[in-house]
Amino acid sequence: MNMITDAQHVAQHEAARENASKAGLSGGEFLTFRLGGEEYGIDILRVQEIRSYETPTRIANAPSFIKGVVNLRGVIVPIVDLRLKLGCDSAEYDSFTVVIVLNVRGRVVGAVVDSVSDVLQLSKEAVKAAPELSSSVDTSFITGIGNVGDRMLILMDIEGFMSSADMGLISDSH
C-alpha cells in the first residue's frame, strides 16, 4: 500500500514540475481572481471570456461543485464552482461573483470565482516554485507562487485541473 502512495506522490511531483515549466515558472500573463481570502492566477491564454454569474440549470446526480450548465451562444457549458471544489469556507453569490469561461483541451468550461482582479504580466523572477507539502495534499495543479509587491498569487494549471479525472468533465479521448 505504501509503495503505491509513494509512486503516486512521485508522479504528482513530476507532473507538478512539468506543469510548472510549461505554465508557471516561465512567467507570462495571468488573469488573477479571488477565492475566499486567496488570490489565484491562471494563464490568460486559457480564458475565453468573463461573464456575470447566472444560475445554471442543475444536472441530476452531479457533484456539488458542478453547479450545472448554461447555454452560451448555442454551446452547453458545464459550470464548476472553484470555491466548492477547492474547499473555501463559503461560496456566496453576489454582484462580484463571476464565471470565467475557459477553453480547456478544446472544450468550453465555466469556473465560478468570487471576483476577478486584473491581468498581470509576471516576469520569470517574480515566480517561485510551489512549496512541497505532504502527499495527502494535492499540489499538482499549483505551478508556482507569484510575488507582486505585497501580493502573493497561487498560480494554477487550470487546464490540468479542469481536465483531471476527479472533475469528470473531459475524457481522455478529447
Side-chain angles (χ1 to χ4, degrees):
M1 180 78 183
N2 225 3
M3 284 175 41
I4 293 171
T5 307
D6 290 344
Q8 287 173 333
H9 182 66
V10 168
Q12 274 183 350
H13 283 289
E14 287 303 314
R17 268 192 217 98
E18 188 179 310
N19 290 340
S21 64
K22 283 193 308 202
L25 293 178
S26 59
E29 273 194 306
F30 295 88
L31 175 71
T32 65
F33 58 89
R34 296 198 77 77
L35 294 175
E38 305 303 322
E39 201 168 9
Y40 290 79
I42 57 174
D43 182 354
I44 192 71
L45 298 177
R46 298 278 158 251
V47 177
Q48 186 172 306
E49 64 183 278
I50 299 164
R51 300 173 53 87
S52 57
Y53 180 78
E54 60 183 84
T55 305
T57 302
R58 184 95 178 103
I59 302 288
N61 299 323
S64 63
F65 60 85
I66 297 184
K67 301 311 292 177
V69 295
V70 297
N71 185 337
L72 180 63
R73 294 183 295 282
V75 177
I76 302 304
V77 178
I79 303 297
V80 175
D81 194 323
L82 286 184
R83 302 167 304 177
L84 296 175
K85 179 61 181 158
L86 295 173
C88 290
D89 293 336
S90 67
E92 303 292 320
Y93 297 91
D94 59 27
S95 61
F96 296 106
T97 305
V98 294
V99 175
I100 302 171
V101 179
L102 303 161
N103 195 313
V104 177
R105 296 192 181 169
R107 286 222 30 211
V108 179
V109 179
V112 180
V113 300
D114 286 330
S115 63
V116 169
S117 306
D118 48 20
V119 176
L120 291 176
Q121 177 76 40
L122 293 179
S123 67
K124 195 173 184 171
E125 296 74 36
V127 179
K128 305 293 179 226
E132 291 207 16
L133 301 172
S134 75
S135 61
S136 64
V137 179
D138 183 6
T139 59
S140 62
F141 302 111
I142 299 174
T143 59
I145 304 294
N147 289 310
V148 184
D150 59 350
R151 292 162 62 190
M152 283 185 63
L153 295 174
I154 300 166
L155 303 178
M156 276 181 89
D157 171 15
I158 196 70
E159 184 172 53
F161 183 76
M162 287 295 200
S163 59
S164 67
D166 70 321
M167 293 294 274
L169 294 172
I170 297 171
S171 68
D172 288 337
S173 61
H174 279 114

